[in-house]
Amino acid sequence: MPIIINLDVVLAQRKMKSKELAEIVGITEANLSILKSGKAKAVRFSTLEAICEALNCQPGDILEFTTESE
Amino acid sequence: MNFFGKKSISSVLYSPALVVTIIMAVLSLLVIYYLITGNYDMFSSGTTVLNIPGTDLNLKTHHSIFIILGSFMFNTVYFYVLSRLFKTFSNAILFSEQTIRHLRVFAYFNVIAPIVACFIAFLILDSANFEFVIQGALVIAVGIFCFMILSIIKKGQHLQTENDLTI
């Protein structure tokens, strides 16, 4: 998929654990894992907003667009 | 009352369908027993008389014993597949691979079995009549309707997956 999720990178930069983020955002660890692995089909604006607020970042820091050839 | 899910019409119909399956299986075995023991009489008029062992009683029917056996065996498989389908429909999650699999089996059975039955009746037994063909056509129509429901459930499962993977 051309959309890459850089949640792992941002989490490492913030030195935050997945479990902690899941608790703050209010989603399950399983769903966060789906999001991190890129298996998610869609992300709700409310979830994205909560993640950005928790990690103090912009949506562009988490989501990245790449072409298939790259 | 709901058609799908727990405490639905499907969950109520599951048990009767299973009971009919067992009855049909027992009757099939009984007819096979008659065939093996030869404890029956077939007349040129098409009438079959099944003699009940140990008694002077008998069962008279206007169909060949092979037609009776075929009908019971068909009904055994039909009601077994139907009971499995009812059980799947009574699950909490309707749009699942299990539902699709069972509905597909039921749809294929409804379309293929009457054709095979008519073929056997026409070519081997030479006893198929208009009523038999009409009954077969009705069963095929049910099968086609099941294929339509199957495509709806497939779309539903796709939407369910998309919804589950929306975080």
Side-chain angles (χ1 to χ4, degrees):
Chain A
M1 207 164 98
I3 300 289
I4 295 171
I5 311 288
N6 289 322
L7 201 56
D8 270 336
V9 178
V10 182
L11 274 170
Q13 285 170 352
R14 303 293 188 274
K15 291 177 183 171
M16 192 187 277
K17 288 181 180 175
S18 298
K19 191 180 175 181
E20 203 179 331
L21 178 67
E23 277 173 14
I24 295 167
V25 174
I27 59 172
T28 62
E29 274 191 85
N31 277 346
L32 190 65
S33 174
I34 289 168
L35 187 61
K36 276 163 58 181
S37 61
K39 286 177 186 168
K41 294 272 182 184
V43 185
R44 289 189 184 92
F45 278 132
S46 57
T47 310
L48 191 59
E49 187 187 319
I51 291 170
C52 288
E53 200 177 326
L55 295 172
N56 192 24
C57 65
Q58 292 297 312
D61 298 331
I62 301 164
L63 306 172
E64 185 188 339
F65 173 74
T66 55
T67 52
E68 294 282 2
S69 55
E70 285 178 42
Chain B
M1 199 173 189
N2 292 328
F3 277 102
F4 308 109
K6 286 173 183 171
K7 292 180 182 176
S8 64
I9 292 172
S10 297
S11 64
V12 172
L13 289 174
Y14 167 66
S15 299
L18 198 63
V19 169
V20 174
T21 305
I22 294 163
I23 291 168
M24 287 297 159
V26 169
L27 288 172
S28 299
L29 290 172
L30 195 67
V31 176
I32 290 169
Y33 164 78
Y34 276 115
L35 267 173
I36 293 168
T37 56
N39 198 13
Y40 67 96
D41 299 307
M42 271 176 75
F43 299 99
S44 55
S45 61
T47 305
T48 306
V49 177
L50 304 170
N51 303 311
I52 298 170
T55 64
D56 292 333
L57 301 169
N58 56 44
L59 294 168
K60 196 181 279 184
T61 170
H62 295 294
H63 298 289
S64 149
I65 193 164
F66 299 106
I67 291 279
I68 296 164
L69 179 62
S71 301
F72 284 148
M73 286 172 83
F74 173 87
N75 285 333
T76 305
V77 180
Y78 185 90
F79 281 100
Y80 175 71
V81 176
L82 189 64
S83 68
R84 299 294 301 166
L85 190 62
F86 281 140
K87 195 179 182 187
T88 316
F89 280 162
S90 56
N91 286 344
I93 300 168
L94 175 64
F95 301 117
S96 64
E97 274 296 323
Q98 196 186 22
T99 309
I100 291 170
R101 195 170 58 245
H102 284 126
L103 190 60
R104 190 185 289 129
V105 169
F106 185 67
Y108 273 116
F109 183 78
N110 273 275
V111 171
I112 295 168
I115 295 168
V116 174
C118 279
F119 181 79
I120 292 168
F122 269 119
L123 295 180
I124 298 170
L125 300 175
D126 196 28
S127 62
N129 55 28
F130 185 69
E131 190 188 340
F132 194 81
V133 175
I134 292 292
Q135 282 176 357
L138 286 172
V139 176
I140 290 170
V142 171
I144 292 166
F145 186 68
C146 284
F147 274 115
M148 287 164 70
I149 296 172
L150 184 65
S151 69
I152 293 167
I153 288 181
K154 275 183 183 172
K155 282 192 197 304
Q157 197 220 7
H158 179 71
L159 289 172
Q160 178 87 55
T161 310
E162 294 242 315
N163 189 50
D164 289 347
L165 291 175
T166 299
I167 313 298

